[in-house]
Amino acid sequence: MLTKASRTTFLVPLRDGVLAGLVALVLAFPIVGLPTSETAHGLVLRPRIPEAIAFAVAVFLGRFALGVAEAGKPRPILLIALLVAIAAPFASAAPEFGAALAIGGLFVALRSALLAFPGVAGRISGGIRVPPVAIKRAPLVLLLLLVVLPLTPVIDRRLLDIAVLVLTYVMLGWGLNITVGLAGLLDLGYVAFFAIGAYAYALLSLTAGLSFWGALPIAGLCAAAAGLIVGGPILRLRGDYFAIVTLGFGEIVRLVAINWSSLTGGSQGIAQIPRISFFGLADFTATPDPGRRAFHELFGISFDPAHRQIFIFYVILALALAVNAFIARSRKLPLGRAWEALREDEIAAQSLGLNLQRIRLSAYAIAAAWGGFAGAFFAVRQGFISPESFSFLESAVILAIVVLGGVGSQLGVVLAAIVMIGVPELVRQLAEYRMLAFGVAMVAIMVWRPSGLISRREPSIRLGDAT
Amino acid sequence: MSGDKLLSVEHLTMQFGGLKAVNDVSFAASASAITAIIGPNGAGKTTVFNCLTGFYHPTHGRIALKSQHGTIELQNLRKHQVSARAKVARTFQNIRLFAGMTVLENLIVAQHNRLQRASLFSFAGLFGLPAYRKAEKDAVERARFWLDRVGLTSWADAQAGSLPYGQQRKLEIIRALCTEPVLLCLDEPAAGLNGSETAELARFLRELRDEHGLAILLIEHDMGMVMGISDHIVVLDYGRKIADAAPAVIKEDPAVIRAYLGEPEAA
């Protein structure tokens, strides 16, 4: 006979475990159990039924163990889970399965550890309180690090490349933060402005022969103009409807880029986009074109291909900082406060004389302009653009950076960009698990920090300030 | 009550489908006076407010407001223009603050149009020119003035949404005042306040009328307060005006008593 205690300790988890195992079996059967592989005779199905069942059993065990841990026996479960996690990679014949088992074991171990030692759990789930001083100092430290970064010997070309990529996303995240964070408009098509900026630079430089520095403002203006034209009619829409239209706009821009082949080169994209110059004074080449000077000649140093890369890094750093400075400044201006007021309560804001349409349009167009600048930078850095770079996924990634970082938080965007862009680039081996990590990060944020990594809002003005 | 009516509402009608929420209502409000609009629930009081403040566009009728630049017809204005051009401010039945912003920020946002002009539509502000800095300082001083008046100064840097209910009501009223209105429309300002808070509110409204010459239009269910501070009461029932007189007269008006208490039993 089972006692009541052992019923709740084992039977309930057992039932949950069986249910979870069944769900896993249904999911694993087609995904794991029926892979196809390319052979000389075409696509062939190579069933892996035992593996699929093994996955389901693993899920059953994991859920069961979690249930038992939650029901009051966390310590033995912690021990077993740790052993499984450590043993799995060695014991299993299939490496993927071993890795999955290890991750699952670690997760169960972590959960039961939190249950076994509630004091620690309380301290962690009570919010990892970032001390205000740290938040205040962090940007400065980060900035100093970034400025000296390319000059330190630890940095190699690959790392510098990743840093440039991360900074591009930081800039885009900050730009989007104007619409999403400050004005409270959910823009799902921000990449459209990025694309417009990129194509504007590519076409201007190739057809009109404009340099990057000459084309940059025009690229921003083009994106802002697109923002004004699109924003005018759609800013009448509320919340969800607005989001859907921006989603559509993002796709339209991409489709135009694909189909207007005579201008954009279609899906082939545009190649041979002129490289960046040193403020128009010198080029980053070993052998400059006739009539031009090379960067290393200008400074009397020996040629190094890294020079261009380092310069590119400083350019994106400066652009990103410009966005940041703009946001910091405009938050303290009537316009910035009006953006936030409309986000908080548009009816009250209008009753106070705020012109909803015009103020929202300004936020949308200004964010678009920054997106255009980032696009022009992207084009000059890559030297090649194609519609593939401007898919909806890009909008989603930028939005995810903003949401993960904490809507409206500048530093949060930086952290999120490092986590979402930098880390996956650093550990390329695990590129396959990128989407998995994405999902895990999203769920973790939703559970533990629903308003983003950093959700503190600094008042734009204090009563003491003005005196 | 001389001929200097600040606001005159003439034959106002607001129709939603087959329902006439406001039916041919006319009344007037003067500067330096408190005009109350009362009536049972669903009488159309808030609808009148929404017509006045541009949230609804009336089916018929004219809403004329006297200003230095001649008469402004409110029914033609859009929501934000009512405050920006006609200097009519309002509060809401269910308080509408910018909850995530601080108390002071709420009051600064209310001065948006003046500050936006001073910042030359952000260009001067972006570079922190002195003219803008002065305008911002003035805005803070105006905010401080009203904060001091209602005793909210110590809350200035707190999040508006974190204030106790009574303080939120006060904040919403002084936020409306920061727009420097000539006509202030209050939609049930005493709702949810306790006795002493209501008394304090009544005193404050009287001061606004007497010291600032403000015209106040008031929707309120607290009859003690309405009878105590109003110069003039308009009674609505089922969208129609059933009485329009001084408080003492309204108290005795049989039509008003019938609207509130129902038909007397046959005696």
Side-chain angles (χ1 to χ4, degrees):
Chain A
M1 286 309 259
L2 285 163
T3 60
K4 195 164 179 252
S6 64
R7 276 177 68 97
T8 49
T9 319
F10 294 107
L11 275 189
V12 176
L14 194 67
R15 190 196 58 200
D16 290 350
V18 169
L19 273 177
L22 283 177
V23 172
L25 190 62
V26 169
L27 287 173
F29 186 73
I31 298 173
V32 178
L34 297 174
T36 54
S37 64
E38 193 91 49
T39 66
H41 312 291
L43 220 52
V44 170
L45 204 62
R46 293 188 192 281
R48 291 193 300 194
I49 306 301
E51 282 90 340
I53 292 171
F55 264 104
V57 170
V59 168
F60 157 74
L61 286 175
R63 184 72 195 89
F64 175 66
L66 269 182
V68 173
E70 277 162 8
K73 298 234 179 301
R75 283 177 200 216
I77 294 293
L78 170 61
L79 200 68
I80 298 170
L82 272 180
L83 281 177
V84 169
I86 295 163
F90 302 106
S92 176
E96 299 95 342
F97 190 63
L101 213 56
I103 293 171
L106 274 180
F107 180 76
V108 173
L110 186 68
R111 181 84 185 99
S112 34
L114 288 176
L115 286 164
F117 308 103
V120 182
R123 232 170 294 154
I124 294 176
S125 64
I128 308 152
R129 295 251 178 279
V130 189
V133 183
I135 292 187
K136 218 170 228 174
R137 296 271 169 79
L140 201 70
V141 174
L142 215 70
L143 182 61
L144 276 176
L145 266 176
L146 281 175
V147 170
V148 296
L149 186 72
L151 310 174
T152 51
V154 291
I155 210 92
D156 57 5
R157 292 198 61 152
R158 190 168 141 266
L159 273 178
L160 199 58
D161 236 23
I162 295 173
V164 169
L165 189 68
V166 169
L167 277 172
T168 313
Y169 277 95
V170 167
M171 179 177 178
L172 286 169
W174 280 341
L176 184 61
N177 223 343
I178 297 175
T179 19
V180 177
L182 292 177
L185 299 164
L186 186 56
D187 184 352
L188 294 176
Y190 191 56
V191 79
F193 303 118
F194 187 55
I196 289 170
Y199 274 99
Y201 168 65
L203 294 172
L204 283 169
S205 65
L206 284 172
T207 57
L210 251 64
S211 75
F212 174 70
W213 300 104
L216 186 66
I218 304 178
L221 281 178
C222 285
L228 285 175
I229 293 167
V230 179
I234 71 172
L235 282 165
R236 293 167 196 279
L237 303 174
R238 269 163 205 273
D240 314 350
Y241 303 100
F242 174 83
I244 289 170
V245 178
T246 57
L247 177 69
F249 175 62
E251 281 302 285
I252 288 169
V253 168
R254 193 175 63 89
L255 290 175
V256 167
I258 290 178
N259 291 307
W260 195 354
S261 313
S262 59
L263 184 74
T264 64
S267 48
Q268 301 293 308
I270 302 175
Q272 307 280 308
I273 300 170
R275 294 298 187 149
I276 201 160
S277 67
F278 185 72
F279 302 112
L281 296 172
D283 294 334
F284 293 95
T285 51
T287 48
D289 293 337
R292 302 279 303 167
R293 298 187 68 182
F295 176 76
H296 61 282
E297 291 168 3
L298 192 68
F299 285 87
I301 46 177
S302 59
F303 174 74
D304 185 341
H307 284 158
R308 168 163 48 211
Q309 232 190 342
I310 292 172
F311 184 64
I312 283 270
F313 173 84
Y314 282 123
V315 169
I316 186 64
L317 184 62
L319 281 172
L321 287 177
V323 187
N324 191 358
F326 175 83
I327 294 178
R329 191 84 203 110
S330 61
R331 271 201 65 214
K332 294 179 186 295
L333 289 181
L335 188 62
R337 293 201 190 99
W339 291 338
E340 291 200 75
L342 281 172
R343 176 195 67 200
E344 296 286 318
D345 191 323
E346 59 176 65
I347 289 180
Q350 290 180 88
S351 82
L352 296 170
L354 271 62
N355 186 337
L356 174 115
Q357 195 89 14
R358 204 184 291 168
I359 292 167
R360 286 216 165 135
L361 196 56
S362 70
Y364 193 63
I366 288 171
W370 290 117
F373 289 140
F377 171 80
F378 177 77
V380 79
R381 177 200 170 217
Q382 300 287 92
F384 165 74
I385 53 169
S386 78
E388 233 174 274
S389 312
F390 310 110
S391 64
F392 167 67
L393 189 66
E394 289 303 313
S395 290
V397 167
I398 304 164
L399 187 65
I401 287 174
V402 171
V403 173
L404 282 178
V407 172
S409 160
Q410 309 289 74
L411 187 59
V413 167
V414 179
L415 294 180
I418 293 172
V419 172
M420 303 262 302
I421 307 297
V423 174
E425 286 292 322
L426 278 174
V427 278
R428 261 284 160 83
Q429 309 85 286
L430 302 179
E432 290 174 59
Y433 301 104
R434 192 175 172 159
M435 281 297 150
L436 188 71
F438 238 63
V440 171
M442 279 289 189
V443 172
I445 288 281
M446 273 190 284
V447 172
W448 285 299
R449 297 193 80 84
S451 42
L453 284 172
I454 297 178
S455 50
R456 238 164 57 93
R457 179 182 175 278
E458 197 59 39
S460 66
I461 189 167
R462 287 172 188 280
L463 195 58
D465 287 353
T467 49
Chain B
M1 306 274 149
S2 54
D4 60 320
K5 299 294 186 202
L6 178 76
L7 172 82
S8 40
V9 174
E10 293 157 19
H11 307 292
L12 184 70
T13 300
M14 182 74 224
Q15 192 162 357
F16 298 104
L19 175 78
K20 279 187 175 164
V22 176
N23 193 354
D24 197 26
V25 168
S26 303
F27 67 93
S30 321
S32 302
I34 297 175
T35 307
I37 302 178
I38 64 169
N41 285 329
K45 305 180 296 282
T46 299
T47 307
V48 170
F49 261 34
N50 283 339
C51 290
L52 279 174
T53 50
F55 281 83
Y56 295 156
H57 292 288
T59 321
H60 298 292
R62 180 166 176 272
I63 306 167
L65 185 89
K66 276 196 195 129
S67 79
Q68 297 138 315
H69 318 293
T71 304
I72 302 176
E73 304 220 339
L74 294 184
Q75 77 274 16
N76 297 330
L77 295 185
R78 291 170 53 207
K79 277 174 249 189
H80 64 93
Q81 294 172 328
V82 170
S83 166
R85 291 197 195 158
K87 303 232 153 277
V88 175
R90 74 170 289 180
T91 65
F92 297 86
Q93 206 170 336
N94 43 347
I95 309 174
R96 284 185 175 276
L97 292 174
F98 307 127
M101 303 171 82
T102 68
V103 169
L104 181 62
E105 284 175 321
N106 268 267
L107 300 180
I108 301 287
V109 167
Q111 307 177 52
H112 173 80
N113 286 314
R114 197 177 316 116
L115 282 171
Q116 184 72 337
R117 271 191 299 277
S119 78
L120 301 178
F121 300 92
S122 301
F123 292 108
L126 212 49
F127 302 105
L129 298 190
Y132 169 68
R133 283 217 296 273
K134 185 178 178 309
E136 193 182 62
K137 211 170 165 180
D138 292 345
V140 173
E141 282 316 307
R142 187 171 293 109
R144 188 200 295 276
F145 171 80
W146 289 115
L147 285 169
D148 286 343
R149 272 299 283 275
V150 297
L152 275 179
T153 316
S154 57
W155 296 88
D157 296 327
Q159 239 189 28
S162 71
L163 260 55
Y165 191 83
Q167 313 286 42
Q168 295 199 7
R169 281 259 176 235
K170 283 187 197 168
L171 174 58
E172 202 193 16
I173 295 172
I174 62 170
R175 186 181 65 183
L177 288 169
C178 276
T179 66
E180 304 212 298
V182 292
L183 173 67
L184 178 65
C185 303
L186 303 173
D187 198 346
E188 297 195 26
L193 300 188
N194 62 32
S196 66
E197 284 172 329
T198 305
E200 193 188 333
L201 174 69
R203 195 172 340 115
F204 181 55
L205 295 185
R206 250 189 234 115
E207 285 167 8
L208 287 179
R209 172 192 63 189
D210 299 338
E211 292 168 25
H212 296 268
L214 210 59
I216 298 175
L217 211 54
L218 177 73
I219 293 179
E220 190 48 70
H221 282 298
D222 186 322
M223 282 308 140
M225 173 173 159
V226 168
M227 294 302 166
I229 65 169
S230 307
D231 299 293
H232 184 74
I233 298 179
V234 176
V235 189
L236 299 184
D237 190 25
Y238 292 112
R240 287 183 172 279
K241 187 171 88 172
I242 56 171
D244 184 349
V249 183
I250 293 291
K251 269 186 213 167
E252 308 299 328
D253 191 311
V256 175
I257 294 169
R258 206 179 309 126
Y260 270 92
L261 301 177
E263 294 287 343
E265 297 284 326

